[in-house]
């Protein structure tokens, strides 16, 4: 195998791990969420990657709803996530989503004054 193939394989695995972790974080913080990250990963394989488009639509929407339900002003990152994926940058889509989650968690850490 070439180094490029190994790097692509590692990035692909990292993307799956990120997808699972993001779904788990959303479920943990928003119990009424109906996400099933394990099933999403399985369906990603069974649909030859097509399910990933749904995930990159659903997870940002869940984050948006979570922020809105807590009284925040959500940003809509659905289109950027789908655009990155369209250009083959799925990993970047998950990184954008994780970045928005991190901002949300930081908001919970701010001292109440």
């Amino acid at each position: 195998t070439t180094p490029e193939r190994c790097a692509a394989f590692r990035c692909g695995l990292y993307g799956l791990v990120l997808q699972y972790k993001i779904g788990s974080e959303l479920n943990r913080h928003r119990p009424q969420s109906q996400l099933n990250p394990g099933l999403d990963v399985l369906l990603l394989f069974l649909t030859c990657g097509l399910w990933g488009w749904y995930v990159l639509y659903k997870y940002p929407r869940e984050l948006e709803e979570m922020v809105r339900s807590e009284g925040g002003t959500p940003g809509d990152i659905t289109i950027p996530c789908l655009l990155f994926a369209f250009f083959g940058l799925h990993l970047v889509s998950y990184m954008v989503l994780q970045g928005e989650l991190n901002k949300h968690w930081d908001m919970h850490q701010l001292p109440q004054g």
Side-chain angles (χ1 to χ4, degrees):
T1 62
T2 64
E4 294 83 18
R5 283 189 181 177
C6 289
F9 181 73
R10 283 191 303 269
C11 285
L13 286 179
Y14 187 63
L16 292 173
V17 169
L18 267 177
Q19 177 185 320
Y20 181 83
K21 287 184 163 284
I22 290 168
S24 296
E25 284 183 37
L26 287 168
N27 273 343
R28 194 169 36 254
H29 192 66
R30 189 166 186 260
Q32 67 270 30
S33 176
Q34 297 298 316
L35 299 177
N36 188 337
L39 182 61
D40 287 336
V41 170
L42 177 64
L43 287 172
L44 186 70
F45 282 108
L46 294 177
T47 63
C48 298
L50 291 176
W51 192 256
W53 292 98
Y54 173 74
V55 168
L56 287 174
Y57 170 80
K58 181 66 175 167
Y59 285 15
R61 291 290 181 200
E62 284 290 326
L63 174 60
E64 185 179 334
E65 185 58 37
M66 181 176 71
V67 171
R68 185 177 289 115
S69 71
E70 294 178 5
T73 305
D76 185 5
I77 59 169
T78 306
I79 298 298
C81 285
L82 290 171
L83 281 174
F84 280 125
F86 180 77
F87 290 106
L89 301 169
H90 296 82
L91 189 59
V92 174
S93 297
Y94 293 124
M95 293 171 121
V96 167
L97 187 52
Q98 184 63 55
E100 290 298 313
L101 273 169
N102 291 346
K103 288 179 192 175
H104 184 73
W105 304 147
D106 288 345
M107 182 186 76
H108 284 282
Q109 298 299 321
L110 292 176
Q112 302 296 321

